[in-house]
Amino acid sequence: MRRWGMVIDLDRCTGCGACMAACHQENNLTAAGPEQTRRDRAFHWLKMLPTESRLGDEVMTRYLPQPCFQCDNPPCVRVCPVHATYLNHEGIVGQVYARCIGCRYCMAACPYNAKVFNWFEPEWPGDMKRKANPDVSLRPKGVVEKCTFCHHRINRAKEEARVEGRDVRDGDVIPACAENCPTQAIAFGDLNDPRSRVSQLVSGPRVFRLQEDLGTEPKVFYLAEKE
Amino acid sequence: MALRGPGLVSEVESVCGLCPGACGLTVRLVDGLPVGLKGNPNHPLNRGGLCPVGLAGLDILYAPNRLRHPLRKHAQGEFRQVEWEEALGEISEKLKGIGTAENRGSAAMICGEPSSLFQDLAAQFMGWLGSPHLACTGQGNVLPFTLTQGLREVPAFDWSGADLVLSLGLDLFEDGPAPLHAASALIGARQTQDRARLLHAGSRCSLSASKADQFVAIHPGTHGALALGIAHVLVREGRYDSRFVTAHTYGFEDGRQDGEERLGFRRLLLERYYPDRVAQICGCPAAAIVRLARRFAQASRPLAIAGGEAAEGSNATCNIMAAHSLNALMGSFDKAGGVLNKPSIPLSPLPRVGGCDGEPSLFESAQGGGLLGTDPLEALSQAVSDGSPRLEVLFVIGDDPVGSRPGGSRVVQALRGIPTVIALTPFLDETCDEADWVLPTPVPLEQWEDATTPPFSALAVLGISRPVTGPLHSSRHAGDVLLDLSSRVAPEGASLPWGHYSDYLKDRLEGLSESGQGALISGSFEESWRRFLEDRGWRFRQHQGMDDFWSGILKQSGWWSPARPQGEGGQLFDTPSGRYEFFSQKLYRELLDRWGGLASSADAQQALGRARESLGLQGQVDELCLPHHEPPHLVGRGDLTLVPFRPITARGRLGTASAMVMEMFGHSVLSGWQPWAELSPETARRLDLEEGDLIGLQTISGQIEAEVRIRPGAASEAVHLPLGLGRIQAPGAETLKANPLNIVLDSRDPLSGALSLSSTRVQVRLVRRRPHGGPPPHLSGGEA
């Protein structure tokens, strides 16, 4: 059984925002506009969290790209009254838009603020809809949405492997954020495969997760900076 | 949604073309319609990955507010839609009068297209019109390299070969000429090779500062002083390359110049730029300077590079000269990881057309504001107000001279003084308001695209691609417009010899095909790199003949070749002494010529003194021609200095046409769609401001409003404002009038004439407290 996970190397991340933009384009997100953005209703499935700290004279700034952490123990799933969000057999926290009633309990439960709500009918002005990625559905107004680890890409990789009569190999699945990272800071793969790149990275000394004490068991790991 | 047909997926290679970064990208198409972009991992510059603006390419392609038809301004000042035939017909009638003897040189062109192939065609067109007045903007400040190395263009910095890069003010990963190239070279290699170190000094905690192994926060405009402080430690501790300094530099030791005493760089450093004094100038601890210097000296291939805010102040030239002197002290020239000649692309030579060789361009006239350089738009304003030369027609291609600089009203006056102004652009910008004709050009992905080596890059790259999709609107490539005009104006045989821009490109590439140099972009980057190293002569042919090369280069979307050292010293230094000049003889001559020094030493000293006074310089007389610290010259009122910067989301001119880019405009400070002002925690406390408060920034030329973002690491007397918000905006943002350039006062570097963006004093006042439920404050106190 696979268990998909992501490792983000903060030693490599420059905070350029390419992952945010790639996610936006890949998953057919639309812009919320200036007014809604001011009300903190812009939706990014992947956000950039700036953190700052001082070490003596020196200031350290760090940018954490933050997708949905696809927790093994997801608080959002427990509170959903209609089973619109669930943990699938490969460890991805799914969101079934057709079931979602927009109550936003899951958003309140998520300690990482990873989910976003469609407050308004998504706007595709002019010819914009022509660029929509045909692999990803468009969401209606009134549902909660979130990062899926680009599960359409996982399905495509599985399909290709099946046609070629082989198993999915490490590196076959690359989410859009990882694919467009200029410094290859994002690795993706099967945490249950000890030879996968992510498994090797998470066994290193630089690994940490956000708010581990909550017991949510995120499957997105960060690697701290090297000295 | 449009019906798509069977849903066949294909991929083609292309080039980005939205900024000078020249990244390669792959377009995903479904039934021929582009639906996705990703970075091309085989491209030698970006090696996979795209920046947010590059990823917005499809937003820009499909933007609803693109210009759809040619426009003509009518007597009442309103635009009316016209057909191309009418527009080109009338413009060519105007041009017919230009070629005549009495009207020679009455046409001018401002070209902001980053591609040097397009600039070559623009020069051909102007030459054919018999006018030398062509300005290609965005060339960077070449003067420091002219004074020290005798170069006519900015050299290449081989940062991927260096094991330590010291960046003074240049935000390599955000505002540099090629941020993805810098990121893949300096950061992407972190796990595979020895870690390349990055040291950064600047007044803002930028993306590069956040990635640096050491970040030193300094006052705005003191980058040169910091470089000299580092140089002091290198010299005092004997940690410099004395062999190189003795053999290849001029002016290090005290000496005589035309029979007079001349202060040497060594003594200047030792006497005046000791760490305690520099620390006072820069506002950083003296220990940090010593630490920077020692780290710099310990590297085996150190490289210093200045840019960004260091190159945008009133003391830009001095800052860059000071930073460059570190390369001279370490002998980082003409070797891997050092300063190299700008790599050349062996294109076919251009045919000789027209005849205005040697005629001076109005854009280079001495009225442009600097001693040894000019600001082309200032020169244009002067020329129009003097009526000499008398201009009839001005083309503005891919540039927005009104909206992209402070003091736009002067440019507006100039444009109003020219009878026919023709703007070629895909979106209406501020310059269009003053144009008589606005001709829509395509955006990348729907036009022939060529992207040449970005500034500072040590790789010769020519990205080239055909249109990925047909033009969505009635737009025409600027090159095709120029060629069309040429064929309408001239009788057969006397027009430019190409039918279309693609013919021109193919013609130029013949030289590249025949040279046998370099390679098409293909295979894995590592593989081709190894091949280059194995085959140091790199003379393998990958193609048979031009047609084969042409189809190959279009398929692979480009060609590249690494720059290589040419053999010690030599060609790099084209100065009077034939060496790297700490003491610039060119500058010395110019100052004496202009301010009349005679033979005796007292006269020369007096002349230098007069020069110093009239240029408004504050350095001491004996250090004027040496790298030295010029205190920044500030204008206006207020106790803070306005330091504008360009976030990565502001790359190129067109990025903000994407709603996504606008929404993540300030992604690094959790802001979107609006400008923000970065203040240091100390300044915010002093002014009683909090994160998210709305403040007004007032200078004597106007006021804008911005939300406060508190950034540790920012200089305490600076307020940093992002550039990039202007007329070209995604729908929904029309009400924003937030171009910080509107409040920047017109000021320039007296030596190069380049505009100074960070010389304006500003006053800050609270407009409104952060509303409840506003943007969340930063996380703070992370584990360090």
Side-chain angles (χ1 to χ4, degrees):
Chain A
M1 186 63 65
R2 293 191 192 88
R3 200 171 139 258
W4 299 110
M6 182 179 279
V7 182
I8 301 175
D9 187 346
L10 300 180
D11 197 42
R12 291 175 160 225
C13 172
T14 64
C16 72
C19 47
M20 281 176 84
C23 174
H24 186 105
Q25 298 290 338
E26 175 79 10
N27 291 300
N28 297 330
L29 302 183
T30 53
E35 180 53 33
Q36 298 304 319
T37 300
R38 214 163 292 134
R39 300 173 71 181
D40 204 20
R41 287 176 175 179
F43 42 97
H44 302 293
W45 286 7
L46 189 156
K47 300 186 190 57
M48 193 65 76
L49 276 184
T51 66
E52 280 144 6
S53 54
R54 277 175 186 271
L55 190 65
D57 285 336
E58 275 192 55
V59 175
M60 286 186 38
T61 310
R62 173 193 269 182
Y63 298 94
L64 283 85
Q66 193 211 332
C68 169
F69 287 165
Q70 316 288 354
C71 306
D72 272 348
N73 181 17
C76 58
V77 168
R78 263 176 284 148
V79 299
C80 179
V82 292
H83 303 287
T85 185
Y86 68 106
L87 185 65
N88 85 2
H89 64 289
E90 293 190 340
I92 294 178
V93 177
Q95 185 86 20
V96 186
Y97 305 124
R99 278 189 181 169
C100 177
I101 56 171
C103 69
R104 292 174 280 135
Y105 285 7
C106 56
M107 289 175 69
C110 174
Y112 307 108
N113 213 3
K115 296 196 168 189
V116 289
F117 184 62
N118 251 317
W119 286 93
F120 295 94
E121 203 63 54
E123 278 187 31
W124 296 85
D127 293 331
M128 286 297 236
K129 231 176 201 172
R130 290 166 77 175
K131 68 152 193 168
N133 180 0
D135 297 341
V136 178
S137 66
L138 305 182
R139 282 80 54 190
K141 169 184 173 179
V143 300
V144 170
E145 43 183 84
K146 66 181 276 295
C147 159
T148 64
F149 265 180
C150 281
H151 84 280
H152 54 283
R153 290 189 175 215
I154 299 177
N155 290 343
R156 198 195 304 154
K158 283 183 186 163
E159 199 63 19
E160 281 170 9
R162 194 180 60 80
V163 168
E164 289 169 25
R166 58 174 175 83
D167 282 342
V168 173
R169 289 180 297 239
D170 191 36
D172 277 355
V173 183
I174 308 172
C177 53
E179 184 177 61
N180 279 293
C181 176
T183 55
Q184 291 98 47
I186 305 178
F188 185 81
D190 181 6
L191 292 166
N192 278 351
D193 173 4
R195 288 160 309 167
S196 71
R197 182 141 174 265
V198 285
S199 292
Q200 285 170 6
L201 290 174
V202 297
S203 62
R206 293 192 286 139
V207 173
F208 71 95
R209 292 183 288 185
L210 281 194
Q211 292 179 288
E212 273 191 276
D213 49 325
L214 297 176
T216 51
E217 297 292 326
K219 285 193 291 297
V220 174
F221 299 79
Y222 293 98
L223 302 181
E225 287 88 342
K226 277 188 240 177
E227 187 27 60
Chain B
M1 207 182 311
L3 285 176
R4 284 217 173 95
L8 295 177
V9 175
S10 59
E11 286 192 341
V12 294
E13 306 296 347
S14 185
V15 291
C16 178
L18 286 168
C19 84
C23 293
L25 55 79
T26 306
V27 188
R28 181 165 178 249
L29 303 125
V30 175
D31 293 341
L33 271 182
V35 297
L37 305 178
K38 63 180 179 185
N40 176 1
N42 299 326
H43 197 280
L45 286 175
N46 55 322
R47 297 170 70 173
L50 280 180
C51 77
V53 171
L55 283 161
L58 294 180
D59 291 15
I60 294 163
L61 174 67
Y62 294 123
N65 52 347
R66 275 185 55 189
L67 202 49
R68 287 161 192 251
H69 305 277
L71 299 175
R72 174 195 198 157
K73 188 176 275 172
H74 282 258
Q76 289 75 35
E78 88 282 19
F79 280 116
R80 289 209 202 124
Q81 190 178 313
V82 291
E83 294 301 318
W84 273 99
E85 197 49 42
E86 183 187 340
L88 293 177
E90 289 208 22
I91 294 168
S92 60
E93 284 306 314
K94 286 238 154 44
L95 293 182
K96 277 181 185 158
I98 298 286
T100 57
E102 68 270 26
N103 275 335
R104 268 186 76 79
S106 61
M109 183 185 286
I110 297 168
C111 172
E113 292 286 340
S115 147
S116 66
L117 265 81
F118 182 81
Q119 290 176 6
D120 286 349
L121 181 71
Q124 285 276 298
F125 178 78
M126 294 308 285
W128 170 83
L129 268 182
S131 167
H133 310 309
L134 169 69
C136 295
T137 51
Q139 301 290 302
N141 186 353
V142 70
L143 181 60
F145 306 104
T146 310
L147 296 181
T148 56
Q149 286 186 253
L151 298 181
R152 276 180 293 278
E153 50 191 1
V154 177
F157 290 79
D158 183 17
W159 53 56
S160 50
D163 65 344
L164 183 139
V165 175
L166 168 65
S167 111
L168 292 151
L170 178 60
D171 189 353
L172 282 166
F173 305 141
E174 190 163 17
D175 183 21
L180 266 61
H181 180 209
S184 70
L186 284 167
I187 304 288
R190 275 189 170 175
Q191 274 174 355
T192 51
Q193 301 169 2
D194 290 343
R195 186 188 177 87
R197 301 280 164 178
L198 174 68
L199 313 179
H200 182 87
S203 74
R204 172 174 175 260
C205 191
S206 61
L207 291 190
S208 303
S210 75
K211 283 325 285 176
D213 296 279
Q214 189 182 349
F215 164 50
V216 178
I218 57 173
H219 294 322
T222 60
H223 306 80
L226 182 71
L228 296 168
I230 294 170
H232 170 99
V233 177
L234 297 179
V235 170
R236 190 185 63 194
E237 298 185 356
R239 293 173 185 252
Y240 64 98
D241 184 345
S242 56
R243 196 191 54 81
F244 180 88
V245 168
T246 313
H248 297 292
T249 69
Y250 177 84
F252 185 66
E253 302 291 352
D254 289 355
R256 303 186 78 76
Q257 188 77 31
D258 302 344
E260 301 167 32
E261 298 280 329
R262 170 176 55 66
L263 175 69
F265 187 50
R266 174 210 285 273
R267 194 153 63 84
L268 173 79
L269 288 175
L270 293 180
E271 287 180 2
R272 297 184 199 164
Y273 292 98
Y274 44 92
D276 283 332
R277 174 167 179 254
V278 170
Q280 221 163 26
I281 296 172
C282 299
C284 66
I289 299 170
V290 176
R291 199 160 141 240
L292 273 180
R294 291 189 180 149
R295 289 180 96 151
F296 193 70
Q298 274 161 10
S300 49
R301 296 181 307 280
L303 183 65
I305 181 166
E309 49 172 321
E312 284 176 350
S314 60
N315 54 2
T317 302
C318 293
N319 280 338
I320 301 173
M321 279 173 80
H324 208 41
S325 71
L326 290 173
N327 293 323
L329 286 176
M330 301 311 286
S332 297
F333 281 95
D334 205 29
K335 60 187 186 189
V339 181
L340 302 170
N341 273 328
K342 186 177 181 206
S344 65
I345 303 175
L347 296 165
S348 311
L350 289 159
R352 275 184 57 87
V353 287
C356 51
D357 287 352
E359 286 176 42
S361 162
L362 78 89
F363 293 112
E364 285 162 15
S365 81
Q367 292 169 318
L371 175 69
L372 282 159
T374 57
D375 171 32
L377 295 175
E378 182 59 26
L380 178 74
S381 299
Q382 286 291 342
V384 172
S385 72
D386 297 353
S388 154
R390 190 171 52 80
L391 290 180
E392 293 292 334
V393 177
L394 173 72
F395 288 91
V396 181
I397 301 179
D399 202 352
D400 179 12
V402 177
S404 64
R405 53 183 271 131
S409 56
R410 276 176 68 71
V411 182
V412 169
Q413 284 309 319
L415 297 188
R416 286 184 183 163
I418 301 172
T420 308
V421 175
I422 304 155
L424 285 85
T425 171
F427 290 87
L428 282 176
D429 56 27
E430 292 172 42
T431 300
C432 293
D433 291 347
E434 304 307 323
D436 302 284
W437 297 90
V438 182
L439 306 180
T441 52
V443 296
L445 299 179
E446 54 175 6
Q447 70 173 349
W448 282 89
E449 199 65 49
D450 51 294
T452 38
T453 308
F456 299 146
S457 172
L459 298 177
V461 178
L462 175 61
I464 190 156
S465 68
R466 61 169 95 231
V468 171
T469 180
L472 297 186
H473 309 299
S474 174
S475 59
R476 294 194 188 176
H477 193 291
D480 287 337
V481 172
L482 297 186
L483 293 173
D484 188 318
L485 287 174
S486 135
S487 71
R488 280 168 195 261
V489 172
E492 200 138 339
S495 61
L496 291 173
W498 305 283
H500 285 281
Y501 191 63
S502 56
D503 302 334
Y504 161 76
L505 288 180
K506 190 170 178 186
D507 204 15
R508 295 301 304 280
L509 260 57
E510 222 155 298
L512 194 58
S513 164
E514 270 160 31
S515 75
Q517 290 182 22
L520 298 181
I521 292 166
S522 70
S524 87
F525 174 81
E526 307 295 343
E527 194 183 294
S528 17
W529 183 255
R530 200 190 59 232
R531 208 165 53 200
F532 279 121
L533 291 180
E534 284 171 355
D535 189 348
R536 293 288 282 185
W538 31 292
R539 285 217 159 263
F540 44 90
R541 291 245 170 174
Q542 295 173 310
H543 54 272
Q544 268 89 41
M546 179 57 197
D547 286 332
D548 192 23
F549 180 75
W550 179 243
S551 60
I553 198 169
L554 290 179
K555 184 158 184 294
Q556 306 295 350
S557 80
W559 168 99
W560 74 293
S561 150
R564 296 171 61 226
Q566 315 226 337
E568 188 136 344
Q571 292 172 313
L572 269 172
F573 307 128
D574 189 18
T575 52
S577 60
R579 297 166 165 221
Y580 181 94
E581 295 201 344
F582 288 116
F583 181 93
S584 170
Q585 300 191 73
K586 183 176 167 65
L587 181 56
Y588 182 76
R589 288 270 162 271
E590 189 71 27
L591 293 174
L592 285 201
D593 282 355
R594 198 71 73 87
W595 281 276
L598 296 171
S600 81
S601 63
D603 282 349
Q605 287 301 310
Q606 277 171 9
L608 290 178
R610 283 195 294 275
R612 173 176 173 273
E613 212 156 287
S614 29
L615 288 172
L617 297 173
Q618 296 169 62
Q620 296 184 33
V621 169
D622 57 354
E623 63 183 18
L624 283 186
C625 301
L626 285 164
H628 68 280
H629 169 62
E630 246 335 289
H633 176 70
L634 300 178
V635 289
R637 285 196 305 269
D639 58 349
L640 293 173
T641 309
L642 181 69
V643 184
F645 67 96
R646 282 173 210 81
I648 193 161
T649 42
R651 295 200 65 76
R653 294 177 64 231
L654 308 182
T656 44
S658 154
M660 173 192 78
V661 169
M662 290 297 285
E663 195 137 315
M664 60 179 288
F665 190 68
H667 76 282
S668 60
V669 294
L670 306 176
S671 174
W673 293 95
Q674 57 186 356
W676 68 94
E678 294 184 9
L679 296 170
S680 73
E682 298 78 33
T683 312
R685 211 173 305 125
R686 182 164 62 78
L687 299 171
D688 188 28
L689 294 172
E690 286 174 22
E691 181 91 0
D693 287 349
L694 190 69
I695 55 170
L697 296 124
Q698 174 113 41
T699 72
I700 45 182
S701 80
Q703 168 168 321
I704 66 168
E705 292 181 355
E707 261 184 30
V708 171
R709 291 291 183 272
I710 297 174
R711 304 296 306 273
S716 60
E717 76 276 37
V719 45
H720 294 96
L721 269 184
L723 293 176
L725 295 174
R727 178 64 63 83
I728 299 178
Q729 285 180 342
E734 276 93 1
T735 51
L736 291 181
K737 286 209 166 44
N739 189 347
L741 291 171
N742 295 341
I743 63 165
V744 172
L745 301 177
D746 204 359
S747 157
R748 56 197 69 247
D749 169 15
L751 295 180
S752 69
L755 273 175
S756 164
L757 296 182
S758 52
S759 296
T760 307
R761 289 184 192 278
V762 63
Q763 257 164 346
V764 168
R765 64 180 178 82
L766 178 70
V767 174
R768 195 172 61 233
R769 284 281 174 209
R770 177 169 83 96
H772 182 68
H778 280 159
L779 300 185
S780 54
E783 72 263 53

